[in-house]
Amino acid sequence: MKTRGPGLFHFSFYQTGFVVRTEDGLLKFSCSSNSDSIPPPYKTPLPSDLIMSQEEVAIQAIKHALKALKRRHLVEEGAHAPAYIALSRPIISQGSEWKEKAENLEMELQQCYKAQSRLSEQLVVEVAESRALKASLQEKETAMAEMEKEMTQTRDECSRLKADLEEKVKALELVLSEREELKAQLEQLTIRATNAEAENKKLVDRWMLQKMQDAERLNEANALYEDMIERLKASGLEKLAREQVDGIVRRSEEGAEFFSESTVPSVCKHRINAHEGGCASIMFENNSGRLISGGQDRSIKMWDSSTGSLSQSLFGCLGSVLDLAITHDNRSIIAASSSNNLFVWDVNSGRVCHTLTGHTDKVCAVDVSKVSSRHVVSAAYDRTIKVWDLQKGFCTNTIMFHSNCNALCFSTDGLTICSGHVDGNLRLWDIQTGKLLSEVAAHSLAITSVSLSRNGNVVLTSSRDNSHNLFDIRSLEVCGTFRTTGSRVASNWSRSCISPDDNHIAAGSADGSIYIWSISKGDIVSILKEHTAPVLCCAWSGLGKPLASTDKNGVVCTWT
């Protein structure tokens, strides 16, 4: 069945569907899946956007509407069956009815067009919405994939952080355990320190008690000594009393018969350019006029003081000579060196027989026992005092102290060491035990020289405070202080001396002068001027004369 709609549409019905022709093209609507029943001219390919789920929904709706129209058409066809019977009637009489029916059908067709137009518009809108929803869905799926990726990375990072946290917790636990152990150790050390402090206090108390007992014994010995002197004087043995020192009879001392009273020197007899670079130490042989000097040129030289001529030279020292000592039999010379060693020469052969090693800094002082030629004592800037055995050639005792020792000497009995320190204190040590026997604040600055008198009762100290003090070695009481405006001690190792008759003191000054004091009067009796450089050392011959001095230029002068 074919009809023509009003206006722009041509409508055709078939058993399987219908076709609407417009001036712009064809639209095919089929009620079955078989589209071959539609005539070829009306086959039109469907747009691709209609082959979608929304298109199927729209087609179903249109199919439903067409089925309803078909049923109505069939009903109307049955209703108009009498009209077909009456075909025999004249066409003119039936024209009005057909016209009325055609109008009705055109009205229904227009309504179908309107419904189709609304459905098409709705279909287009739904397709656009579907496309927008699909794009939004794809964006959301992409965002979801990115979020899942980020979530995976976050989970991995969380796992890593969790593992790091576990390691940190274990390390913290280990540190806490170590802290507890250290705390326990600290408590133990605190307890030990407290116990040590208490023990130290007890030892100090015991030491003080021992010192008091030693002082009492010393007082008893002094009283006994005085009583003995009185008894000897009463018996008429005055000569024996003069030779006695602290209860020791020195009748057999070699050279005692050569002793004579010292004279105050006033004239420079010899001026000798002894050493290059300076001379720090000079001394005389025991009971002899032969002079020994040691200098910065690492040599030891022996001079005839009566003629000023060189008699012997000793070599082998590896550093500057800072101090000298000689055994009481004049067979061996010991030199303290800046090379941290002591060197011992045999005078007869002129060769080094011992090198005493053990100090870790320059050795600045040395002395030999006046009783035995076997024991030597030395001091160095490593804060130690060492006792040496010359026969064995090694150290037998080491005394350690917080203040460096600049000068030292043996007592006459060889049992005590007198040491002068940088802190200005004079100290006495027991040579066998190394214990400190007593000490006194002798000077306000460093002590530079320690010299023992011939009788062994008095010790002379010189200091950087430009003073010279005499101390009673038994009580460490000051017997006299000597100073003057022009006298200035030149170095930390400036050596002064006492005359053999114990009546005078000689000390060099930084201005090149030598000052001589009278011990009994306390006044200056002579000022000797010959040196042009600071005087470093003075030494008096055991025969009473001459006096020798040396300076920083290496010049040695003898005075008579």
Side-chain angles (χ1 to χ4, degrees):
M1 177 180 180
K2 297 183 180 179
T3 62
R4 180 179 178 84
L8 302 175
F9 298 93
H10 298 275
F11 189 84
S12 299
F13 289 96
Y14 298 93
Q15 293 181 353
T16 60
F18 62 92
V19 174
V20 179
R21 179 185 295 274
T22 66
E23 292 181 353
D24 298 330
L26 294 176
L27 290 176
K28 167 190 172 182
F29 297 94
S30 175
C31 295
S32 66
S33 60
N34 187 7
S35 60
D36 295 336
S37 62
I38 300 175
Y42 302 103
K43 291 182 180 181
T44 302
L46 295 177
S48 61
D49 56 353
L50 295 180
I51 309 174
M52 299 174 64
S53 59
Q54 291 83 357
E55 180 184 17
E56 292 176 358
V57 173
I59 291 174
Q60 291 296 328
I62 293 173
K63 285 181 179 181
H64 182 72
L66 291 177
K67 286 180 182 181
L69 291 174
K70 186 177 181 180
R71 286 194 298 270
R72 183 177 178 180
H73 175 72
L74 292 175
V75 171
E76 289 179 354
E77 188 178 8
H80 293 295
Y84 292 104
I85 299 173
L87 290 174
S88 60
R89 295 179 182 180
I91 296 173
I92 300 172
S93 60
Q94 296 179 354
S96 59
E97 294 179 358
W98 285 104
K99 184 177 180 180
E100 184 179 357
K101 290 182 180 179
E103 291 177 354
N104 291 333
L105 290 173
E106 286 180 357
M107 291 178 64
E108 291 179 357
L109 182 61
Q110 289 178 358
Q111 291 178 356
C112 289
Y113 290 158
K114 292 180 180 179
Q116 181 185 1
S117 176
R118 288 194 301 272
L119 290 174
S120 298
E121 291 176 356
Q122 184 178 0
L123 180 62
V124 171
V125 171
E126 290 180 352
V127 168
E129 291 179 354
S130 174
R131 290 178 177 177
L133 291 174
K134 184 176 180 181
S136 176
L137 179 62
Q138 291 178 351
E139 291 178 357
K140 290 182 179 181
E141 287 179 350
T142 304
M144 185 178 296
E146 292 178 354
M147 292 179 67
E148 288 180 354
K149 184 177 180 180
E150 292 179 358
M151 186 171 65
T152 303
Q153 294 177 354
T154 304
R155 285 177 180 174
D156 296 338
E157 183 70 16
C158 182
S159 300
R160 187 181 63 79
L161 292 176
K162 186 176 180 181
D164 293 342
L165 179 61
E166 292 177 354
E167 293 180 357
K168 299 292 185 183
V169 169
K170 292 180 180 179
L172 179 61
E173 292 177 353
L174 180 60
V175 170
L176 292 176
S177 62
E178 292 179 353
R179 176 180 174 274
E180 294 298 329
E181 293 179 358
L182 291 174
K183 186 176 180 181
Q185 293 179 3
L186 178 61
E187 292 177 353
Q188 294 178 358
L189 291 175
T190 303
I191 295 173
R192 291 175 60 186
T194 304
N195 296 335
E197 186 176 358
E199 185 178 357
N200 182 58
K201 185 177 179 181
K202 292 179 181 179
L203 291 175
V204 169
D205 293 339
R206 290 173 57 187
W207 180 76
M208 292 300 296
L209 179 60
Q210 185 66 32
K211 294 299 294 180
M212 292 176 62
Q213 294 176 356
D214 291 343
E216 291 178 357
R217 287 195 295 268
L218 184 60
N219 292 333
E220 292 177 358
N222 290 337
L224 181 61
Y225 169 77
E226 293 176 358
D227 182 61
M228 185 179 296
I229 292 297
E230 293 297 331
R231 288 168 57 189
L232 290 173
K233 287 182 179 180
S235 63
L237 300 178
E238 296 181 1
K239 182 178 178 181
L240 182 62
R242 285 196 302 268
E243 296 176 354
Q244 183 174 350
V245 179
D246 294 336
I248 299 175
V249 180
R250 299 174 59 190
R251 290 174 294 180
S252 60
E253 181 179 0
E254 183 179 356
E257 63 274 12
F258 299 105
F259 171 75
S260 63
E261 292 186 0
S262 303
T263 59
V264 178
S266 59
V267 178
C268 178
K269 185 177 181 181
H270 298 287
R271 177 184 173 90
I272 307 169
N273 293 320
H275 296 274
E276 295 181 359
C279 178
S281 180
I282 55 173
M283 64 176 300
F284 284 93
E285 286 186 341
N286 294 314
N287 304 316
S288 171
R290 193 152 79 154
L291 179 65
I292 305 170
S293 65
Q296 298 287 331
D297 56 4
R298 304 181 181 183
S299 66
I300 309 295
K301 296 182 179 181
M302 305 180 72
W303 310 86
D304 187 341
S305 60
S306 60
T307 62
S309 61
L310 179 64
S311 59
Q312 188 176 359
S313 295
L314 304 177
F315 300 99
C317 184
L318 300 180
S320 301
V321 178
L322 301 180
D323 198 12
L324 291 171
I326 189 169
T327 57
H328 75 280
D329 56 7
N330 295 332
R331 293 182 179 178
S332 299
I333 295 176
I334 303 97
S337 171
S338 61
S339 64
N340 308 344
N341 301 324
L342 291 102
F343 298 90
V344 183
W345 284 269
D346 181 85
V347 176
N348 294 328
S349 64
R351 295 180 180 178
V352 176
C353 55
H354 290 296
T355 300
L356 306 179
T357 60
H359 286 293
T360 59
D361 206 337
K362 57 186 175 184
V363 185
C364 56
V366 63
D367 195 21
V368 183
S369 173
K370 298 172 178 58
V371 177
S372 170
S373 298
R374 180 174 181 175
H375 296 103
V376 175
V377 63
S378 64
Y381 262 37
D382 57 4
R383 296 184 175 87
T384 62
I385 298 174
K386 290 183 178 292
V387 181
W388 308 84
D389 189 325
L390 284 187
Q391 291 185 359
K392 297 180 180 179
F394 60 80
C395 178
T396 60
N397 196 2
T398 299
I399 301 171
M400 302 182 67
F401 203 69
H402 64 83
S403 179
N404 281 323
C405 175
N406 280 337
L408 51 73
C409 67
F410 268 106
S411 63
T412 53
D413 58 6
L415 300 178
T416 306
I417 302 170
C418 305
S419 61
H421 295 257
V422 174
D423 60 3
N425 285 10
L426 175 66
R427 294 178 173 88
L428 303 183
W429 307 87
D430 187 300
I431 188 174
Q432 295 180 349
T433 62
K435 292 183 178 180
L436 179 64
L437 300 178
S438 58
E439 65 176 313
V440 63
H443 296 273
S444 60
L445 296 179
I447 294 176
T448 65
S449 175
V450 176
S451 301
L452 191 67
S453 65
R454 191 179 183 93
N455 63 15
N457 293 332
V458 178
V459 62
L460 171 66
T461 61
S462 298
S463 171
R464 295 288 287 187
D465 62 7
N466 301 322
S467 66
H468 311 276
N469 292 337
L470 285 174
F471 291 90
D472 188 324
I473 196 172
R474 295 165 294 185
S475 61
L476 292 184
E477 294 180 355
V478 179
C479 301
T481 298
F482 307 90
R483 67 167 69 236
T484 187
T485 305
S487 176
R488 292 180 295 110
V489 175
S491 73
N492 282 346
W493 306 290
S494 293
R495 312 299 190 191
S496 57
C497 65
I498 305 176
S499 64
D501 60 0
D502 299 337
N503 290 330
H504 299 91
I505 292 173
S509 174
D511 62 358
S513 301
I514 300 171
Y515 293 84
I516 300 177
W517 285 271
S518 172
I519 294 177
S520 60
K521 297 179 181 180
D523 298 331
I524 294 177
V525 296
S526 180
I527 300 177
L528 308 178
K529 294 185 178 181
E530 181 66 27
H531 293 281
T532 59
V535 177
L536 299 181
C537 184
C538 293
W540 222 308
S541 171
L543 301 179
K545 61 179 180 181
L547 172 68
S549 60
T550 184
D551 61 24
K552 282 190 175 181
N553 290 338
V555 175
V556 175
C557 293
T558 59
W559 306 83
T560 57

